[in-house]
Amino acid sequence: MVAMRKIKLVLTLVGRVINEAVSFIVFSVLDLVDFILCFVYKVADFFIEAEWKPCYCSSSKEAITGSGKILVSEQGESKIVCLSSTKLQLEEISDTLYTRPSLLSEVSKLSMKEIKKGTARSTFSVNSTIVEMLQGKIGGQNLHPIPRWSDCDCKFCTSWTSNCKETLFVKTDGPREYKGQEDVLFIHGFISSSAFWTETLFPNFSSAAKSSFRLFAIDLLGFGRSPKPTDSMYTLREHLEIIERSVLEPNKVKSFHIVAHSLGCILALALAVKHPSSIKSLTLLAPPYYPIPKGEQATQYVMRRVAPRRVWPVIAFGASIACWYEHISRTICLLICKNHRFVEFLTKLITRNRIRTFLLEGFFCHTHNAAWHTLHNIICGTAGKMEKYLDAVRDNLKCDVNLFHGKDDELIPVECSYNVQSKIPRARVKVIDKKDHITIVVGRQRAFARELENIWRNSSRC
């Protein structure tokens, strides 16, 4: 038995070393590829759209432009100051958008003086780029709201353009007429859609639940059939305000339950803190909460935890590509998202239409601009706020808090749910064996629907 443990320990250590070595090589190559793609896309944008498009790879010392927008960045906290004739508004953004360690940048930016001193800069910083991307937002100019040449232009992805009001796509179920029933808001995770709920849970809710609760499942800003404006920074404020404008206000929602998955958990907590007296219960699936060690920069620490730049496990590799490489991830969107109709057709053909493709629709129907900014500004950008949100839920809200996590989740580890419980002792954690980040719902939708109904009914009695 002891010998077997030693062998297992040695194999684990060897595997870790191999993973580290291969990862270093692979991501060094990807650094170079992304650097080259930067120039490729600038040329392509110029010839196709007749203007140079800003990205987060160039550098500039000036953060003030004639558009009246100023980037304020200090110690990892960044805000865009938008000035207009009537108001001053702060748009909070994550510094991870323009500050990401890169082996290539370290080498290219070393000066002879720095080499002699034995020091090196490990990050590249782009301030004015963010200001350039927002030019015209306050001034009334349109920055190609639909779509860019590298985005999909099918009816499904651009259906929002036929609606004069920029509101989210909302799928509803339950009573058609409001007669005092309770409301439930479902918020999906990163690169997903409302179908994550409507194709799994909604058909499995009991008739009693559907007569007692109004169910609202949204496509988040930039995903599914919701608006995908190219001039949006997809900040926390933008996400919250459009949820309020699309669901809470038009449906006169006064109190409600929230069910959220992954990235959606961050929005759920922020929404709960903003409307503390309205929340009946919080159900969070795989919440991405990483306590920040003392001395660490919150945004950069969370970026490394979510996207560790490792080739294994595969889901971590995918997250790293999406988070670290602006132009490689845009290329993936160009190849897959722009051609999602063909990919879906091919999937149905290969599987002989034996599987439902709603997960593929949610995964493919977004723009690179939406995914890139949402990932950085929500998951990384709120890292320093999560503790305050959880403290507020613990101290100012009396609602039930329930956490569900798949034991085999390789993207958001189980420890994240226990981290939330450590901040909110009344929170109940349920870890599901042999389930991961997706199968925590998909594949056990009937059982989970019953669990949710019990949560809502018990919360209503309080």
Side-chain angles (χ1 to χ4, degrees):
M1 184 66 71
V2 176
M4 289 295 294
R5 288 179 180 175
K6 288 183 178 180
I7 293 173
K8 185 177 180 180
L9 183 63
V10 170
L11 291 176
T12 301
L13 182 60
V14 170
R16 187 177 302 168
V17 171
I18 293 174
N19 192 19
E20 293 278 351
V22 174
S23 296
F24 177 80
I25 296 171
V26 169
F27 283 96
S28 295
V29 172
L30 292 177
D31 286 342
L32 179 60
V33 172
D34 201 65
F35 178 78
I36 295 171
L37 284 174
C38 175
F39 293 98
V40 172
Y41 279 115
K42 281 190 178 297
V43 172
D45 289 341
F46 180 76
F47 280 102
I48 298 174
E49 298 184 351
E51 62 177 311
W52 297 102
K53 293 291 184 179
C55 67
Y56 293 103
C57 297
S58 57
S59 63
S60 174
K61 295 180 180 179
E62 295 296 328
I64 302 176
T65 71
S67 64
K69 297 173 184 61
I70 306 171
L71 174 65
V72 181
S73 180
E74 184 178 1
Q75 296 179 348
E77 295 185 0
S78 305
K79 297 176 185 287
I80 285 288
V81 182
C82 300
L83 304 174
S84 71
S85 59
T86 57
K87 64 180 178 179
L88 182 150
Q89 187 167 279
L90 296 179
E91 286 272 14
E92 296 193 12
I93 59 170
S94 173
D95 71 297
T96 57
L97 280 168
Y98 57 88
T99 305
R100 299 181 305 281
S102 166
L103 179 62
L104 181 64
S105 66
E106 290 176 6
V107 174
S108 64
K109 291 188 176 183
L110 281 176
S111 65
M112 292 302 295
K113 184 177 180 180
E114 287 174 328
I115 293 175
K116 290 178 181 179
K117 289 183 178 181
T119 61
R121 286 185 295 174
S122 61
T123 60
F124 57 90
S125 180
V126 186
N127 291 352
S128 62
T129 298
I130 299 171
V131 179
E132 291 171 21
M133 294 185 75
L134 282 173
Q135 283 183 0
K137 189 171 184 181
I138 297 298
Q141 302 173 14
N142 291 321
L143 296 181
H144 305 287
I146 54 147
R148 294 187 66 178
W149 67 269
S150 55
D151 296 332
C152 180
D153 59 356
C154 74
K155 290 183 179 180
F156 183 92
C157 292
T158 60
S159 59
W160 64 277
T161 60
S162 61
N163 185 0
C164 296
K165 295 182 179 179
E166 288 195 359
T167 55
L168 300 178
F169 172 80
V170 183
K171 179 71 173 180
T172 62
D173 202 347
R176 293 186 177 182
E177 296 183 4
Y178 180 65
K179 296 181 179 179
Q181 296 90 350
E182 293 188 17
D183 299 317
V184 185
L185 174 64
F186 292 83
I187 309 176
H188 65 77
F190 184 59
I191 51 175
S192 185
S193 72
S194 57
F196 184 77
W197 311 111
T198 60
E199 296 290 329
T200 56
L201 296 178
F202 279 32
N204 286 287
F205 285 126
S206 65
S207 56
K210 289 186 178 182
S211 64
S212 303
F213 300 94
R214 290 193 301 174
L215 311 176
F216 301 97
I218 59 173
D219 285 350
L220 288 175
L221 182 67
F223 299 88
R225 282 177 275 186
S226 284
K228 306 173 181 66
T230 57
D231 60 343
S232 173
M233 294 293 290
Y234 296 89
T235 60
L236 181 68
R237 182 187 64 81
E238 288 178 287
H239 277 288
L240 294 185
E241 287 185 354
I242 200 168
I243 290 174
E244 293 168 332
R245 193 165 64 248
S246 304
V247 181
L248 305 188
E249 294 170 5
N251 294 286
K252 299 180 181 179
V253 175
K254 301 300 181 183
S255 63
F256 56 103
H257 306 265
I258 302 181
V259 182
H261 177 237
S262 192
L263 173 143
C265 296
I266 299 173
L267 299 176
L269 288 169
L271 201 61
V273 171
K274 191 173 182 181
H275 301 273
S277 61
S278 300
I279 307 301
K280 300 284 289 183
S281 72
L282 274 173
T283 302
L284 308 179
L285 286 72
Y289 171 52
Y290 302 89
I292 311 302
K294 188 176 182 180
E296 289 278 358
Q297 188 175 322
T299 53
Q300 297 289 331
Y301 176 79
V302 168
M303 180 172 66
R304 286 177 173 83
R305 290 299 304 270
V306 173
R309 296 225 289 186
R310 295 290 179 269
V311 296
W312 189 263
V314 174
I315 197 168
F317 179 66
S320 299
I321 294 292
C323 194
W324 289 84
Y325 298 108
E326 180 180 3
H327 304 293
I328 293 177
S329 58
R330 183 181 177 185
T331 302
I332 294 172
C333 282
L334 172 62
L335 296 175
I336 299 180
C337 297
K338 187 176 177 65
N339 301 291
H340 69 88
R341 290 159 295 179
F342 174 73
V343 176
E344 290 166 11
F345 167 77
L346 197 61
T347 302
K348 292 179 179 179
L349 183 65
I350 294 174
T351 62
R352 296 182 181 179
N353 208 28
R354 287 196 299 265
I355 67 170
R356 298 160 75 189
T357 59
F358 70 91
L359 288 177
L360 295 180
E361 291 174 358
F363 186 81
F364 293 144
C365 296
H366 65 273
T367 64
H368 171 254
N369 182 62
W372 178 258
H373 287 94
T374 298
L375 175 60
H376 283 279
N377 285 334
I378 304 301
I379 292 184
C380 301
T382 59
K385 299 179 180 180
M386 285 292 285
E387 186 170 346
K388 294 179 182 178
Y389 288 160
L390 294 171
D391 287 344
V393 171
R394 180 193 63 210
D395 299 333
N396 302 331
L397 280 73
K398 299 185 182 300
C399 66
D400 288 341
V401 180
N402 292 273
L403 308 170
F404 292 83
H405 217 118
K407 191 173 183 178
D408 296 336
D409 194 331
E410 294 182 320
L411 182 62
I412 307 295
V414 175
E415 67 184 74
C416 286
S417 283
Y418 288 117
N419 290 337
V420 172
Q421 188 184 47
S422 69
K423 297 293 294 182
I424 310 175
R426 72 175 185 274
R428 293 184 289 270
V429 177
K430 183 172 182 178
V431 177
I432 313 298
D433 288 334
K434 299 179 181 179
K435 299 298 178 182
D436 57 27
H437 199 65
I438 301 299
T439 56
I440 186 68
V441 173
V442 180
R444 63 179 300 270
Q445 50 262 34
R446 183 171 297 179
F448 188 49
R450 298 289 87 75
E451 290 170 327
L452 286 176
E453 290 179 21
N454 289 332
I455 290 171
W456 301 337
R457 290 195 180 95
N458 291 336
S459 298
S460 301
R461 296 191 188 105
C462 297

